[in-house]
């Protein structure tokens, strides 16, 4: 099977999963956007997915984003990884959406960078769901994120910042957590955020292993890598 055929079959299966999850949740399929996470895979895979109709692509490393995005300028680029403030300018230049805003210093850096680049960045607040996953604490894994209680204050900063648009929330279900419980908690945070900022209606949640749970709890964007690209040897 060619790489193009492999990606076509993977995409078919992913779309079937999203459609089935939407039907089970009583939601229209069009209410969920697929973001293809292409980290470590070559730009040829990005182009092949685009040729199959994928229009939104995500990277979690600035080093890859700045290489791939200029080669595929017709796509919507999402930055989904933890972001150092000193990489804000590069991300603001190449991405339209940043999913991992979790502190005021990053808001300040992204705002300045977006203004300097003459762009508007849609920003999602990365919410910590660590309370739902004790395994993360046990293994020392740090997935990042602002505590739920601190979301309103950070949201106000993003909403007021030049060059930024408050888009909603993002989260990663903790290791060992019940994804339904974790994503229900995220949905509550998102609901409270929308009560203060009506346009902040995105919920970025769900990956290859838990997209169904995310969709049950209102995810508008699912971030899928392995289900689309497989586990073949990636780029070094």
């Amino acid at each position: 099977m060619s790489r193009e055929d492999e990606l076509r079959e993977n995409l078919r299966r992913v779309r079937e999963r999203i459609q089935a999850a939407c039907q089970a949740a009583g939601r229209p399929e069009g209410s969920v956007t697929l973001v293809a996470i292409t980290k470590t895979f070559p730009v040829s895979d990005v182009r092949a997915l685009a040729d199959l109709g994928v229009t939104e692509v995500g990277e979690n490393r600035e080093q890859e984003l700045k290489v791939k995005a200029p080669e595929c300028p017709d796509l919507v680029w999402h930055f989904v990884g933890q972001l150092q403030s000193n990489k804000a300018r590069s991300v603001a230049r190449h991405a339209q959406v940043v999913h991992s805003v979790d502190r005021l210093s990053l808001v300040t850096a992204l705002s300045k960078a977006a203004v300097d680049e003459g762009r508007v960045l849609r920003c999602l607040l990365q919410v910590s769901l660590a309370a739902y996953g004790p395994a993360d604490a046990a293994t020392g894994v740090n997935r990042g994120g602002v505590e739920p209680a601190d979301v309103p204050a950070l949201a106000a900063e993003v909403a007021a910042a030049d060059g930024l648009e408050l888009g909603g929330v993002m989260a990663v279900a903790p290791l060992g957590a019940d994804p339904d419980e974790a994503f229900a908690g995220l949905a509550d945070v998102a609901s409270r955020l929308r009560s203060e900022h009506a346009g902040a209606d995105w919920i970025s949640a769900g990956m290859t292993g838990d997209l169904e749970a995310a969709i049950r709890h209102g995810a508008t964007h699912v971030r899928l890598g392995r289900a689309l690209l497989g586990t073949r040897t990636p780029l070094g």
Side-chain angles (χ1 to χ4, degrees):
M1 180 184 293
S2 70
R3 181 59 172 162
E4 290 75 15
D5 287 342
E6 180 184 356
L7 292 174
R8 181 180 293 106
E9 177 62 15
N10 290 347
L11 181 60
R12 181 190 67 78
R13 291 175 180 173
V14 161
R15 285 174 168 162
E16 286 183 351
R17 284 182 65 186
I18 292 173
Q19 182 180 22
C22 287
Q23 289 177 343
R27 298 177 55 188
E29 183 180 1
S31 64
V32 176
T33 297
L34 168 64
V35 181
I37 307 301
T38 61
K39 63 181 181 181
T40 78
F41 287 88
V43 72
S44 58
D45 282 352
V46 179
R47 192 73 265 164
L49 287 171
D51 290 344
L52 293 169
V54 173
T55 59
E56 314 226 7
V57 178
E59 286 293 337
N60 73 339
R61 298 196 305 174
E62 175 268 343
Q63 298 95 315
E64 289 192 74
L65 174 70
K66 70 182 181 182
V67 170
K68 294 177 185 177
E71 296 196 40
C72 301
D74 51 320
L75 302 179
V76 177
W77 286 90
H78 299 245
F79 186 82
V80 302
Q82 290 184 296
L83 178 59
Q84 297 176 335
S85 295
N86 64 357
K87 302 291 187 180
R89 181 171 300 278
S90 177
V91 169
R93 180 176 299 132
H94 297 296
Q96 289 93 333
V97 186
V98 179
H99 289 233
S100 48
V101 177
D102 61 358
R103 60 195 186 279
L104 179 57
S105 61
L106 183 56
V107 174
T108 302
L110 286 171
S111 174
K112 183 178 187 306
V115 170
D116 289 348
E117 293 292 330
R119 306 186 72 191
V120 175
L121 288 178
R122 189 165 180 85
C123 293
L124 308 184
L125 305 186
Q126 182 172 354
V127 179
S128 172
L129 300 180
Y132 299 95
D136 276 4
T139 59
V141 172
N142 178 13
R143 294 174 181 259
V146 59
E147 292 299 321
D150 297 328
V151 165
L154 189 61
E157 296 289 349
V158 173
D162 293 334
L164 305 184
E165 176 184 65
L166 180 62
V169 296
M170 179 274 253
V172 178
L175 294 173
D178 176 348
D180 277 292
E181 184 179 354
F183 291 143
L186 180 65
D188 182 62
V189 174
S191 177
R192 286 185 275 115
L193 179 64
R194 287 194 303 273
S195 71
E196 297 293 330
H197 305 274
D201 55 0
W202 286 16
I203 300 176
S204 170
M207 298 188 292
T208 294
D210 55 20
L211 74 86
E212 287 84 2
I215 289 172
R216 277 195 293 274
H217 294 284
T220 62
H221 293 70
V222 293
R223 311 179 306 273
L224 303 184
R226 177 165 47 89
L228 283 171
L229 294 151
T231 56
R232 73 183 186 89
T233 303
L235 290 178

